[in-house]
């Protein structure tokens, strides 16, 4: 059986982080080193909006979530710290050490899925039978927790 190494180590770590934490792509892309506390990874939830009871307008609520350290989560964050320059502010970054934007992350993800679902020039079968989205990793995280 062939061993496949898909994508960059940064994308591999992003996949691991997504399946371990179950967080949205946007929240993972914003995860900074300062959010790694002694208790775990502290996430600021991006989609925490609600309607105000008096005036009915949408307001942002500041929700924080701490995901406690597991040996696997600590290993992924340590691996991410070693990738790229030390001076970057976020854990997930591009080749220049700048934080990924959603518009910069998605083309990398789509390129990875294209490579993973097509056979190479030597005729090696594709690593994956079908494509999936980064958002699908959030659902996988939820189903893995139920096992």
């Amino acid at each position: 059986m062939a061993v496949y190494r898909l994508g960059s180590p940064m994308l591999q770590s992003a996949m691991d982080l997504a399946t371990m934490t179950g967080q949205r792509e946007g929240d993972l892309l914003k995860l900074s080193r300062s959010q790694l506390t002694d208790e775990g990874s502290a996430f600021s939830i991006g989609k925490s909006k609600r309607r105000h009871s008096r005036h009915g307008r949408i307001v942002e609520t500041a929700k924080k979530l701490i995901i406690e350290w597991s040996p696997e989560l600590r290993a992924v964050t340590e691996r991410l710290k070693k990738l790229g320059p030390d001076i970057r502010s976020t854990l997930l970054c591009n080749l220049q050490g700048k934080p990924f934007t959603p518009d910069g992350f998605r083309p990398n993800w789509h390129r990875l899925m294209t490579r993973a679902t097509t056979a190479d020039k030597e005729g090696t079968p594709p690593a994956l039978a079908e494509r999936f989205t980064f958002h699908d990793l959030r659902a996988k995280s939820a189903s893995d927790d139920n096992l």
Side-chain angles (χ1 to χ4, degrees):
M1 181 169 143
V3 175
Y4 294 98
R5 303 251 341 136
L6 297 176
S8 70
M10 189 66 67
L11 285 177
Q12 292 173 11
S13 298
M15 288 174 61
D16 291 340
L17 203 57
T19 54
M20 288 179 199
T21 63
Q23 295 305 299
R24 292 178 181 87
E25 175 186 317
D27 295 333
L28 290 172
L29 294 179
K30 292 181 212 167
L31 183 63
S32 68
R33 290 171 179 247
S34 63
Q35 290 174 274
L36 303 177
T37 65
D38 292 338
E39 296 87 32
S41 297
F43 286 93
S44 299
I45 306 301
K47 283 193 164 183
S48 54
K49 297 179 181 176
R50 63 175 179 81
R51 263 194 208 282
H52 193 276
S53 58
R54 282 196 199 139
H55 51 72
R57 282 182 252 153
I58 303 272
V59 292
E60 186 79 27
T61 57
K63 289 188 178 179
K64 301 277 186 199
L65 171 69
I66 294 181
I67 297 181
E68 293 181 8
W69 291 117
S70 67
E72 297 85 12
L73 181 58
R74 193 172 293 278
V76 169
T77 55
E78 291 302 317
R79 186 172 11 145
L80 279 166
K81 286 180 187 178
K82 291 177 185 173
L83 294 173
D86 288 338
I87 58 172
R88 68 182 199 267
S89 58
T90 59
L91 283 180
L92 297 172
C93 66
N94 61 21
L95 291 173
Q96 290 77 36
K98 296 189 172 148
F100 268 122
T101 62
D103 290 338
F105 183 77
R106 286 190 197 110
N108 285 297
W109 180 259
H110 291 295
R111 224 177 353 264
L112 170 72
M113 285 293 108
T114 301
R115 268 186 274 149
T117 55
T118 53
D120 64 5
K121 293 175 185 172
E122 290 84 38
T124 306
L128 298 174
E130 61 184 73
R131 297 172 72 100
F132 60 91
T133 65
F134 193 81
H135 182 75
D136 293 334
L137 297 173
R138 184 173 161 90
K140 180 177 177 4
S141 171
S143 66
D144 286 352
D145 288 344
N146 292 331
L147 296 178

